[in-house]
Amino acid sequence: MDDLDRQILNILRRDARTPYTEIAEEVGTSEGTVRNRVERMLEEGAIERFTVATRTGNVKAMIEVGVAVDVDTRAVSDRMADWGSVDYVWQVSGEEDIVLVVDAADTGALNDLITKARELDEVVSTKTRLILNEMLG
């Protein structure tokens, strides 16, 4: 991955629907070059997927989950990824093992999700942080 790839990715991170012609103009290359590089980055896995960021008025939060030492964190993460309202599941280092980034309809739905996590035998703790503001980097 070179500097041109990084420039293209930075534009796509802000708006994945940016036309290749606009990207090409901004980075100073041709539309075909941008198209080829995006296709290559998709094939190589540098770009995993294109997503939609929402501002729905819902309650957004991070639920930090600690699991028992003898637990397969990947298996628990895979199950949680299938839960409604879960946008991302991160396996992390530190005091907690898993972070769920959720977009819940309201605080009641968020609380239901926290309860669902706490009911799992593998889970030993949860911490919840409401996301108050979101900006692209």
Side-chain angles (χ1 to χ4, degrees):
M1 181 172 298
D2 63 12
D3 189 52
L4 182 57
D5 288 341
R6 287 184 192 88
Q7 289 176 17
I8 292 167
L9 286 175
N10 284 336
I11 294 167
L12 291 173
R13 278 188 191 107
R14 286 183 170 77
D15 184 356
R17 293 179 44 184
T18 304
Y20 292 159
T21 53
E22 285 182 30
I23 296 171
E25 185 176 317
E26 189 171 331
V27 300
T29 191
S30 71
E31 181 271 343
T33 297
V34 171
R35 181 178 306 283
N36 290 337
R37 284 178 176 252
V38 170
E39 288 174 8
R40 179 182 46 78
M41 288 188 279
L42 280 163
E43 289 172 7
E44 293 175 353
I47 298 174
E48 293 180 358
R49 64 187 171 185
F50 295 94
T51 63
V52 175
T54 60
R55 292 189 189 270
T56 59
N58 291 349
V59 176
K60 293 190 178 189
M62 294 186 320
I63 302 172
E64 301 173 15
V65 179
V67 297
V69 176
D70 61 341
V71 168
D72 179 359
T73 306
R74 180 176 301 268
V76 175
S77 296
D78 287 343
R79 274 191 291 165
M80 291 176 166
D82 290 334
W83 294 355
S85 301
V86 173
D87 286 342
Y88 298 98
V89 178
W90 301 329
Q91 292 178 35
V92 297
S93 62
E95 289 182 38
E96 309 305 332
D97 303 294
I98 300 168
V99 175
L100 306 178
V101 179
V102 303
D103 186 356
D106 53 34
T107 55
L110 175 60
N111 195 49
D112 290 345
L113 202 56
I114 295 165
T115 300
K116 187 173 185 174
R118 288 179 176 167
E119 288 174 345
L120 295 177
D121 291 336
E122 301 91 342
V123 172
V124 295
S125 67
T126 64
K127 289 183 194 173
T128 304
R129 300 173 190 270
L130 294 180
I131 298 171
L132 301 176
N133 193 13
E134 211 172 17
M135 293 175 266
L136 291 174

